Amino acid sequence: MPTVLTHALLPVAAGIALGRSRVPPRLVAAGMAAAMLPDADVAMFALGIDYAHAFGHRGASHSLVFALACGLLAACFARMLKAPPFTALLFVALSAASHPLLDMLTDGGLGVALFWPWSDTRHFAPWRVIDVSPFANRFFSARGVEVLLSELRWVWMPTALLAAAIASLRRGKMSWERRESRWRDPSTSATPRYDRDAHRSHNNR
């Protein structure tokens, strides 16, 4: 699995790219929580549930059904998240789904049960370039540093560049729309309009 920080990155980047008006901070926070939540299944090890079990690590909690359930829950609390229900559902569901999709790009462990409950088959992506993260007891080690560098290269840098590009385009579009609005409606401009009738009245005095 990628580190929990990398899983949380994608909703943050989406929030930056789309702007606060479309994705309020509370919705971004909910997306971050949903993106990290699937890895709570590591608690199953303590309960004696095997890694390869349907409810083991990268099992049911890494499925698209689980992601949709997270989205539906967010829609129920849309008012609290200060977003329309459909926006809350879509953003949180995609945030949760980003977790197994990233895990599929890692080079270790088992694949993810993406299509549970219809299939327990574990899936990997054809292109597996992210170094798999060790569990917490080995994270602060040389192996943990290697993983962070791998994620920086394959996830953080491309995501940051894409988010910055989209945000720049969005701001440019907003700026253009404001200028166009002023051009179409001179009353919104800071420059006073030339009033021909008032000028004539003044000259006739």
Side-chain angles (χ1 to χ4, degrees):
M1 61 184 179
T3 61
V4 69
L5 295 176
T6 293
H7 283 303
L9 168 69
L10 298 187
V12 173
I16 292 172
L18 298 174
R20 294 167 63 97
S21 61
R22 292 183 179 177
V23 187
R26 289 188 184 185
L27 185 54
V28 172
M32 292 171 65
M36 295 185 288
L37 182 60
D39 275 344
D41 64 6
V42 295
M44 296 302 178
F45 289 131
L47 300 177
I49 295 177
D50 187 67
Y51 194 152
H53 191 276
F55 291 100
H57 184 48
R58 290 188 173 183
S61 67
H62 286 59
S63 68
L64 295 178
V65 167
F66 181 84
L68 179 60
C70 290
L72 291 172
L73 182 63
C76 294
F77 292 93
R79 181 172 295 182
M80 185 182 299
L81 298 174
K82 298 186 179 298
F86 182 73
T87 300
L89 186 156
L90 188 63
F91 186 82
V92 172
L94 289 176
S95 296
S98 72
H99 185 116
L101 295 179
L102 275 180
D103 278 1
M104 290 174 66
L105 295 171
T106 57
D107 63 0
L110 297 180
V112 301
L114 198 63
F115 302 110
W116 179 91
W118 295 280
S119 173
D120 292 340
T121 303
R122 301 296 185 97
H123 299 273
F124 274 116
W127 193 45
R128 298 167 60 186
V129 294
I130 302 174
D131 290 344
V132 68
S133 174
F135 291 112
N137 59 337
R138 293 184 52 215
F139 182 74
F140 296 100
S141 64
R143 174 62 181 166
V145 173
E146 290 178 10
V147 169
L148 288 174
L149 291 175
S150 173
E151 293 178 0
L152 180 66
R153 177 184 180 186
W154 294 109
V155 184
W156 285 72
M157 290 179 64
T159 301
L161 289 172
L162 181 60
I166 294 174
S168 178
L169 290 172
R170 174 176 54 80
R171 294 191 186 101
K173 180 182 178 183
M174 291 173 61
S175 178
W176 169 256
E177 288 175 348
R178 283 195 295 267
R179 288 196 298 268
E180 189 177 40
S181 177
R182 293 193 187 99
W183 180 78
R184 289 179 176 178
D185 184 6
S187 64
T188 62
S189 175
T191 304
R193 286 191 299 172
Y194 175 72
D195 192 329
R196 183 177 299 174
D197 293 335
H199 181 71
R200 288 176 179 174
S201 177
H202 176 76
N203 289 339
N204 292 333
R205 290 178 185 176

